[in-house]
Amino acid sequence: MSNAIPFIKLPRINTDDTNFISDLKFIYDNTEFIGGRFVEEAEGRLADIANVKNVLCCANGTDALQILLRAINIGPKDSVIVPDLTFWATYESVVNVGATPIICDIDFATLGLDLELVEQAIKEQKISAVINVNLYGIASKNQAQLYDLCKSNGVKLICDNAQAFGVRVNGESVFKNCHGATTSFYPAKVLGCSSDGGAIFTDSDEINERCRSIANHGRKDHYTFQHVGFNSRMSNISALYLNKQINEFSDSVIRRLYAIDKYRTSLTNKILSHFQVDTSVSGNGYLSIFFLDMQKRVKLEGLLKESRIGYGRVYPETVSMQPPAKLAKSYLSGVAKRVTEEIINLPVFPGITDDEIDQIIKCVNGFKG
Ligand SMILES: *Cc1c(COP(=O)(O)O)cnc(C)c1O
């Protein structure tokens, strides 16, 4: 019997360990634990890759959203649009800054916010900000259009790119075309660090300065405070590991995209459809995306389990289905719900072998529905 194939296997992700021990020793010898040279190095390199002027590393991707929302003055009395399909943290961040989330459905062609529903919500509600979420390592080709829609209505646009580091649309970084964006370095994301971690990206010096203060207790100086902030700093050890992962980032994206492309070309079973990413989008290969009829999807899960092949369902439920979101105002078309019923994600990670990919393709091609 062949070995089990995991959905993701973190120890198989290559880590560049050149000078790792001596760099670690430097941190210990200098007790440079909170912030420090590796955090600064990471911020510069992240800014280059995302093509954004300012980057601030912080404690996690959820804090990144909360700090950015606070920095653009979102709080009680503000309503913020979030998509019905995202990780729960997007919704949480709005509630945690005291604002009111308004849920909008997504568009099946892009898996991003449905612009018509966003426009309707902006007309009918007093909306202060929109959080656009680029899931699955791809992006909605409509982000520039969404930014224009927001700007012409005096609404701020921020992007939750926790799954979209390195993604581009028409050659332009998805960290552009917004007032600010965030990402997460949770170890299973496409770029991970050695603990929780996150970052905020903005071309605005003013927003960057506010974020830096809010993420560090609202400090003006060591013992004077201009905001009631958070303690959300990155450790230098996490940043050291993050820099080593940045060294591997383009190779790991190439390997992920290779696996996805093999699925696209060799997985010929017509029962599944491979999500067609718009040609303007260059993804980072975070997840593979397949859709199939719900009953068949349940059967395919059975076959994969029997064959000991890991898989994902990102996400099995919508935001609006979660009990704490029951009272939220929402603009739904049923697309997010349909995605949760029909999606399946096959294994994609940098260390996946050709043998494993072939085994998965053989198994799924043999699926009779
Ligand atoms: C992972 C994730 C987050 C939260 O990031 P953490 O670092 O786990 O706090 C937020 N939004 C999306 C879309 C995510 O995938």
Side-chain angles (χ1 to χ4, degrees):
M1 197 173 170
S2 45
N3 287 329
I5 303 174
F7 178 58
I8 182 170
K9 187 89 182 163
L10 295 181
R12 281 213 236 150
I13 296 178
N14 259 351
T15 303
D16 170 20
D17 56 9
T18 320
N19 299 331
F20 187 75
I21 298 299
S22 55
D23 287 345
L24 205 54
K25 185 152 181 354
F26 170 88
I27 294 174
Y28 276 76
D29 287 347
N30 292 280
T31 59
E32 199 179 278
F33 294 124
I34 311 288
R37 67 164 62 181
F38 298 110
V39 175
E40 278 165 32
E41 181 187 339
E43 287 176 345
R45 298 177 72 189
L46 295 165
D48 285 346
I49 299 171
N51 190 29
V52 169
K53 188 172 174 208
N54 304 291
V55 174
L56 167 66
C57 286
C58 65
N60 57 67
T62 311
D63 275 8
L65 283 168
Q66 288 166 187
I67 293 161
L68 179 56
L69 284 167
R70 286 277 308 277
I72 61 168
N73 288 314
I74 302 298
K77 301 195 193 78
D78 291 306
S79 291
V80 179
I81 291 176
V82 300
D84 197 25
L85 192 76
T86 180
F87 181 56
W88 180 241
T90 316
Y91 185 92
E92 272 180 321
S93 68
V94 175
V95 176
N96 285 343
V97 301
T100 304
I102 308 245
I103 302 169
C104 275
D105 219 312
I106 58 161
D107 166 11
F108 201 64
T110 64
L111 303 180
L113 277 167
D114 179 326
L115 262 51
E116 280 176 24
L117 291 177
V118 170
E119 193 164 8
Q120 191 191 340
I122 288 175
K123 282 210 180 91
E124 295 178 6
Q125 313 288 329
K126 202 178 146 291
I127 302 291
S128 305
V130 174
I131 305 183
N132 182 46
V133 184
N134 291 308
L135 291 177
Y136 308 117
I138 56 168
S140 166
K141 67 179 192 324
N142 297 331
Q143 189 172 306
Q145 230 176 306
L146 177 60
Y147 192 33
D148 288 341
L149 172 68
C150 287
K151 277 192 293 195
S152 60
N153 286 282
V155 172
K156 302 261 171 51
L157 176 65
I158 74 180
C159 290
D160 177 350
N161 288 335
Q163 302 182 11
F165 186 71
V167 175
R168 289 175 177 263
V169 177
N170 287 318
E172 186 156 61
S173 163
V174 291
F175 290 80
K176 308 291 273 190
N177 285 315
C178 56
H179 291 93
T182 62
T183 200
S184 162
F185 305 121
Y186 178 74
K189 307 275 171 164
V190 82
L191 181 63
C193 67
S194 56
S195 63
D196 276 308
I200 303 163
F201 301 70
T202 179
D203 281 326
S204 157
D205 293 340
E206 190 194 331
I207 293 173
N208 176 56
E209 282 314 311
R210 288 174 60 86
C211 287
R212 276 189 189 271
S213 170
I214 291 168
N216 187 15
H217 297 293
R219 277 197 163 102
K220 189 158 175 261
D221 295 304
H222 197 67
Y223 285 126
T224 58
F225 305 92
Q226 54 190 349
H227 305 286
V228 172
F230 298 91
N231 174 358
S232 185
R233 299 169 299 217
M234 182 177 273
S235 91
N236 216 13
I237 297 174
S238 297
L240 168 60
Y241 183 82
L242 181 60
N243 281 304
K244 304 294 181 198
Q245 283 305 336
I246 294 172
N247 295 343
E248 301 289 336
F249 182 64
S250 52
D251 282 351
S252 97
V253 167
I254 289 168
R255 188 66 198 172
R256 287 171 176 277
L257 293 175
Y258 166 83
I260 290 176
D261 202 53
K262 257 194 125 179
Y263 289 141
R264 188 180 60 75
T265 52
S266 307
L267 215 155
T268 50
N269 192 334
K270 291 282 181 290
I271 299 171
L272 290 82
S273 64
H274 194 220
F275 178 73
Q276 207 63 46
V277 183
D278 191 82
T279 51
S280 63
V281 178
S282 61
N284 65 20
Y286 181 56
L287 291 172
S288 67
I289 313 165
F290 293 92
F291 293 112
L292 73 172
D293 165 88
M294 177 153 78
Q295 272 81 36
K296 292 191 172 137
R297 189 263 299 157
V298 174
K299 284 192 192 157
L300 178 60
E301 286 186 72
L303 174 66
L304 291 169
K305 279 183 193 146
E306 213 175 277
S307 314
R308 301 195 307 146
I309 294 171
Y311 62 88
R313 300 226 309 109
V314 180
Y315 290 98
E317 293 188 347
T318 61
V319 170
S320 57
M321 284 164 75
Q322 308 310 312
K326 275 286 181 302
L327 295 176
K329 184 141 204 71
S330 49
Y331 288 78
L332 302 183
S333 61
V335 174
K337 182 88 177 28
R338 180 176 162 203
V339 168
T340 64
E341 289 167 352
E342 301 188 350
I343 197 162
I344 199 147
N345 313 96
L346 296 175
V348 172
F349 55 93
I352 195 166
T353 66
D354 282 313
D355 268 1
E356 288 172 325
I357 297 171
D358 290 343
Q359 215 175 300
I360 294 163
I361 289 169
K362 193 165 159 225
C363 172
V364 177
N365 275 341
F367 176 57
K368 299 284 188 290

